[in-house]
Structure formats: C-alpha cells, structure tokens
Amino acid sequence: MRHIAPLYFAIAASTAQADVAEYIHYEFGIRVLSNGVATNGVGGDLEGLSVGTEGVFSLDVNPDGSIYQSDDPDYFQAYQVLDLRIQIGAITSGANPGAYPSGASWLTGLWVENDKVVGGSELSDSIAMIPGFANPELGFSAFGIFQRVPIGQDADMLSSLALPLTVDAALITSPIDMTITSPRDGASKVAFDVFSVEVTYIPSPVAGNLLVLAGLAATRRRR
C-alpha cells in the first residue's frame, strides 16, 4: 500500500540559486537493489552499501524551459540543473565542481518526456539525467524514472513537459532507477530504485517572507 502525505516547510535559497528567479527542489528516496561492487570485490566506498540501504538523491532545477531548445517539443524538454547531492549509507557527495549550473548542452540537464511512444507499443513518461558527483569514489552515474503503459492507456506520472510539482512514486515502472559505477574498475555498479519523491517549489527570495509549496510525497511499494 502506498502512503501519500503533503509536506510543507520553509527553506532559504542557497547562493548557487541566487541568480535564478525560482527553482524546484526534488528529493528522491533511493534504495540499494544490488551491489556488483561488493560482489566483485572491487573495494572502495560503494562496496559498503548493502542491499536495502536507503538514502536521498536531491536536485535543484531551473524550471525555465527556454534555456535548452528541444528538437522534439511535443514530447521532450530539457531543464538546467543548478545543483545536486547524494547521501546514502556512509557516502555523501555534492556536485562535481564546475559542472553545475549545467552547461550549454541539454545533455547536462534534466530530461523530461511526456507521452513518448516507445517501441511502437507503449507510452512513456520519464525524468532522467546523468549526475556528476564530486566524490571520486562515485564514477559514471545514470538516473532515470519512467512509467510505461500500453498505447490506449494513460501514462499519468507526468501531465505535460513542464517540470512536475508532484510525482507519484507508486506510478514508476522502471525496474532500476539509478546506477553508480565504481571508478576502480569502470564496470562494477550499484543499482538503486526510487521509492519516494518530494517536490518543493522555491520562488525568488523576498526579504522577510519566503513561501515554499511542497509537492506530493508518495511511497512506492518495495518490489
């Protein structure tokens, strides 16, 4: 059974977002599904993440869709990532220095697809990116959540190409939502699923008054 609860809280805008009129803060609850680093005996910080360990992957994203021009504007849009962070087990890392705010190419941003036809038989809603972490023990990483349904049904994880202010994690159907590769051998990976999503809209700071609207926090059933 999934549990849904609204979350309301105040938060101060960080220096990294000071020049952005507004941004959206995402917190993805992540959980270790498998650990090939431990299985292969590669060593390092990733080795200590046991299956079932829970943590948080967070993003600050600029909702201005004009920064990256889409070649497929009906189904795909990229957004500028301002900052990111991960905390799971003994591992904590911020963003790779100089990588964020993300650069000129949409490849460094957060990608949103809505009602994209996949394989000729399914509709897909998805949110994805390639995170760059400062911790040298965290190698190439990939993040992506999606809901796929047969054509004729509604994919309703997203309702448009705008950055969502709510994400119901119970609708996620992707079997693996995030992977982090060990740089020690460049192949062994830790795989994660996303079990909850919290979304907070943060407007431009106003002296003495900062209104924060939080999105839906939905808990995904363990597979």
Side-chain angles (χ1 to χ4, degrees):
M1 178 180 296
R2 65 186 174 97
H3 303 281
I4 300 176
L7 178 67
Y8 301 94
F9 58 93
I11 184 169
S14 70
T15 302
Q17 289 79 30
D19 58 347
V20 175
E22 59 183 357
Y23 66 96
I24 299 176
H25 179 76
Y26 293 94
E27 290 195 358
F28 300 94
I30 57 175
R31 176 171 50 217
V32 178
L33 289 175
S34 62
N35 189 339
V37 179
T39 303
N40 294 341
V42 175
D45 292 351
L46 290 171
E47 186 176 51
L49 294 178
S50 58
V51 172
T53 301
E54 296 183 357
V56 175
F57 171 55
S58 61
L59 296 172
D60 292 335
V61 187
N62 184 350
D64 183 356
S66 68
I67 294 174
Y68 301 125
Q69 297 302 310
S70 175
D71 292 332
D72 193 7
D74 291 331
Y75 300 103
F76 174 86
Q77 180 63 54
Y79 293 90
Q80 183 186 42
V81 175
L82 302 172
D83 203 1
L84 59 79
R85 185 173 180 82
I86 190 171
Q87 191 286 313
I88 186 162
I91 295 175
T92 299
S93 180
N96 193 9
Y100 303 96
S102 53
S105 170
W106 64 265
L107 291 170
T108 62
L110 183 73
W111 321 325
V112 175
E113 285 187 332
N114 179 238
D115 288 346
K116 180 78 171 182
V117 176
V118 178
S121 61
E122 292 183 306
L123 289 182
S124 177
D125 285 353
S126 65
I127 300 171
M129 73 170 299
I130 300 174
F133 296 114
N135 188 331
E137 288 290 327
L138 307 183
F140 178 80
S141 304
F143 172 82
I145 57 175
F146 64 72
Q147 179 196 24
R148 289 183 181 167
V149 299
I151 290 178
Q153 298 183 19
D154 292 328
D156 48 11
M157 188 180 81
L158 303 176
S159 59
S160 73
L161 288 176
L163 282 179
L165 294 179
T166 64
V167 178
D168 186 345
L171 297 176
I172 299 171
T173 61
S174 40
I176 296 175
D177 303 319
M178 187 173 187
T179 58
I180 300 177
T181 303
S182 171
R184 294 182 175 232
D185 70 351
S188 299
K189 295 179 175 63
V190 181
F192 305 84
D193 75 342
V194 168
F195 64 86
S196 68
V197 186
E198 295 177 1
V199 187
T200 308
Y201 165 67
I202 302 178
S204 56
V206 178
N209 183 28
L210 180 61
L211 174 65
V212 174
L213 228 4
L216 193 68
T219 301
R220 184 183 187 184
R221 289 192 295 268
R222 178 186 286 268
R223 296 185 189 83

